[in-house]
Amino acid sequence: MKLKGKLLLILSLLIVSALMLVGCGSKESKQAADQVTVDIFQFKVEAKDALESAVAEYMKENPNVKINVQTVGGGDDYGAALKSKFASGQEPAIMNMGGMQDVKDWIEKLEDLSDQPWVDKAFNGTLEAVTADGKIYGMPFAQEGYGFIYNKSIFEKAGIDADSIKSFDALQAAVKKLDAKKDELGLKAVISFPAKETWVTGLHLSNAAFANEFSDVVEAFNAKTIDFKYADAFKKLIDLQANYGYKPDGTKGSLNAVDYSTQVEELFALEQVAITQQGNWAYGSIAGIDEEVAKNIGFLPIPVVGAKEDSIPVGIPMYWAVNNGKDESVKDAAKDFLNWLYTSEKGKQMIIHDFKFIPPFKGYEGENLEPTDPLARDILKYSNQDRTMPWVFMGYPTGWGMDKLGADIQSYLAGDLSWNQLVENAKTTWAESRK
């Protein structure tokens, strides 16, 4: 009987142990099933490290979510890379959209974000470019602005009052004064003009002209034709930078070899030039070379003769979008991460201090949430003074600004195309793109 009792006890223990193992296995299986993977495919190279840090913080708080980040940008064509991703079957859960044309091109793949908690916090004018049929398909990245970035120390040494530059004539006079003192100021040239970067010329600089032809991005997007009303003013801006820009071999054609790295890191950050056309995103590149130079820079306006001469373009550079073809659990995690990044206290701190973004949402009023770099502060100054123009280039026909206008600007600088022909080409290619 004792032996029988012992056998029963051993059998009971074995059964209990087996049940515990089954229970643990079930728990582990459930945890594995709950794991969600979110792939982000984004273009903003200068935000890569900050985004990866934010992802790491989010995953600490949400251990069931695995987020992978892949960045394609800089000199690469993000739009083409995104199409390749989809074609290969490696569709990301979170991707970037540039505005109205991208929404139109990708709408079958975009999740409706209208019910997201950040929507009510978005500033006026930041969601129109990603709204279609009353639905919101994108979350704004940040507010950004661009103009002629100038070195305050060099201007002071040259005896130029930057605050007085509110017209093209005043800008041109300052450039000529800097050119006359180039040797004593230790400059290679007054300006660094990256004509190789057609997004700088064909998108950003041309926007100054077309922001005064169209009232907003929606009007530009719907326009079947352009008048190119401010073509002469645009030419003045091109010629000023070409005439006083750093030319690798001394010819205007060699401006087409000047890229972003040469423009910002080799010339401006090393104080080889006094002025360059770029946006607040360039602050990190400049600070990475020389923090002291980066602390002492600001924005001059991009003056359009006959229209706004004291303003800078301010807008939304890109939007986050969610792939509607993913599983619900993946889409929910993707939306939760984006909302956490811009509205949680930890996320907001990172947006300001790590990403160095100018937030496109309300709720950043605290002292520790104010922009820290001088370019971001200047953008707020211009905005508060109502000295801004919209980003209408987001409404250009797909590829028109970079592939058509930007390429023609390169031909003009090389002496292969007259300005009148450039203007006619711009009108023709725009109209053809809208058919």
Side-chain angles (χ1 to χ4, degrees):
M1 292 296 290
K2 287 183 179 180
L3 179 60
K4 184 178 180 181
K6 287 181 179 179
L7 287 172
L8 287 172
L9 178 60
I10 291 170
L11 181 61
S12 298
L13 290 171
L14 288 171
I15 291 171
V16 170
S17 297
L19 289 173
M20 288 178 68
L21 287 171
V22 169
C24 290
S26 298
K27 185 177 180 181
E28 289 173 1
S29 298
K30 185 178 185 304
Q31 286 177 338
D34 288 343
Q35 285 290 319
V36 175
T37 299
V38 175
D39 293 319
I40 299 177
F41 189 67
Q42 71 100 26
F43 92 109
K44 208 161 183 55
V45 174
E46 60 270 29
K48 175 180 179 292
D49 292 342
L51 179 59
E52 290 175 352
S53 295
V55 161
E57 286 295 324
Y58 179 81
M59 289 193 296
K60 286 180 186 176
E61 297 182 17
N62 299 271
N64 65 310
V65 179
K66 168 68 174 175
I67 300 180
N68 302 310
V69 178
Q70 184 178 356
T71 299
V72 173
D76 296 319
D77 186 335
Y78 175 81
L82 182 61
K83 288 178 183 177
S84 295
K85 271 285 185 186
F86 273 78
S88 69
Q90 299 177 328
E91 300 184 10
I94 297 175
M95 53 211 177
N96 299 150
M97 292 290 118
M100 298 190 73
Q101 187 63 53
D102 277 356
V103 170
K104 181 180 179 181
D105 293 344
W106 288 91
I107 195 162
E108 293 183 359
K109 291 289 186 179
L110 302 182
E111 178 79 354
D112 179 10
L113 303 177
S114 304
D115 64 349
Q116 291 303 290
W118 50 261
V119 170
D120 291 338
K121 296 179 174 63
F123 287 128
N124 290 337
T126 59
L127 299 178
E128 282 81 353
V130 285
T131 300
D133 299 324
K135 297 178 180 178
I136 297 167
Y137 292 103
M139 178 189 201
F141 244 89
Q143 293 189 91
E144 289 187 348
Y146 61 90
F148 289 118
I149 302 176
Y150 73 102
N151 183 307
K152 294 181 180 180
S153 294
I154 294 174
F155 269 58
E156 288 170 6
K157 290 175 185 175
I160 298 171
D161 176 14
D163 291 336
S164 68
I165 300 175
K166 296 181 180 180
S167 68
F168 181 82
D169 287 344
L171 175 62
Q172 184 171 246
V175 168
K176 288 182 177 179
K177 188 171 184 177
L178 287 164
D179 188 62
K181 297 186 175 186
K182 193 167 54 177
D183 291 339
E184 68 179 85
L185 294 171
L187 303 177
K188 287 185 176 179
V190 177
I191 300 170
S192 52
F193 183 37
K196 183 176 182 178
E197 308 287 7
T198 56
W199 58 273
V200 174
T201 56
L203 292 180
H204 288 184
L205 190 59
S206 72
N207 182 90
F210 290 110
N212 288 284
E213 181 167 334
F214 301 116
S215 60
D216 55 34
V217 65
V218 177
E219 186 179 354
F221 181 75
N222 291 326
K224 301 298 183 184
T225 61
I226 55 173
D227 294 332
F228 217 153
K229 182 178 178 182
Y230 296 99
D232 289 344
F234 183 43
K235 182 177 184 297
K236 287 179 182 292
L237 292 168
I238 293 284
D239 288 346
L240 183 69
Q241 295 185 78
N243 291 335
Y244 296 94
Y246 168 75
K247 306 173 188 66
D249 70 4
T251 66
K252 289 184 181 179
S254 67
L255 289 165
N256 294 328
V258 180
D259 60 9
Y260 175 88
S261 178
T262 303
Q263 170 203 19
V264 174
E265 297 168 359
E266 294 182 30
L267 294 170
F268 188 82
L270 294 177
E271 299 189 291
Q272 301 297 300
V273 298
I275 301 171
T276 196
Q277 182 209 312
Q278 269 302 339
N280 61 288
W281 53 84
Y283 175 81
S285 298
I286 299 166
I289 303 297
D290 193 320
E291 289 188 3
E292 291 306 310
V293 171
K295 291 176 183 177
N296 207 25
I297 58 179
F299 277 122
L300 300 173
I302 297 182
V304 180
V305 175
K308 277 197 168 186
E309 295 198 48
D310 66 343
S311 302
I312 62 171
V314 174
I316 304 297
M318 196 65 91
Y319 294 81
W320 298 106
V322 175
N323 183 348
N324 66 5
K326 293 294 183 178
D327 292 341
E328 289 300 321
S329 60
V330 176
K331 292 192 292 186
D332 288 345
K335 294 174 190 176
D336 187 67
F337 168 70
L338 292 175
N339 189 60
W340 173 89
L341 181 59
Y342 284 87
T343 66
S344 73
E345 287 307 310
K346 185 173 290 184
K348 288 193 289 188
Q349 289 286 338
M350 298 188 85
I351 286 293
I352 294 295
H353 299 292
D354 297 342
F355 287 79
K356 300 191 185 304
F357 281 178
I358 304 172
F361 300 105
K362 301 169 188 172
Y364 287 74
E365 288 77 21
E367 285 185 16
N368 62 336
L369 295 175
E370 292 294 321
T372 55
D373 74 75
L375 296 181
R377 290 197 297 269
D378 262 11
I379 289 171
L380 288 179
K381 179 188 76 174
Y382 275 85
S383 297
N384 290 333
Q385 294 175 352
D386 195 26
R387 296 170 58 197
T388 64
M389 60 183 88
W391 281 18
V392 301
F393 69 84
M394 306 295 266
Y396 289 178
T398 302
W400 180 83
M402 292 177 64
D403 301 337
K404 304 296 185 182
L405 182 58
D408 274 359
I409 290 170
Q410 291 178 333
S411 296
Y412 167 70
L413 292 171
D416 298 328
L417 189 70
S418 71
W419 185 259
N420 287 340
Q421 189 59 58
L422 179 150
V423 172
E424 290 307 310
N425 286 354
K427 293 178 180 179
T428 300
T429 53
W430 181 294
E432 289 175 346
S433 299
R434 292 298 198 217
K435 288 181 180 178

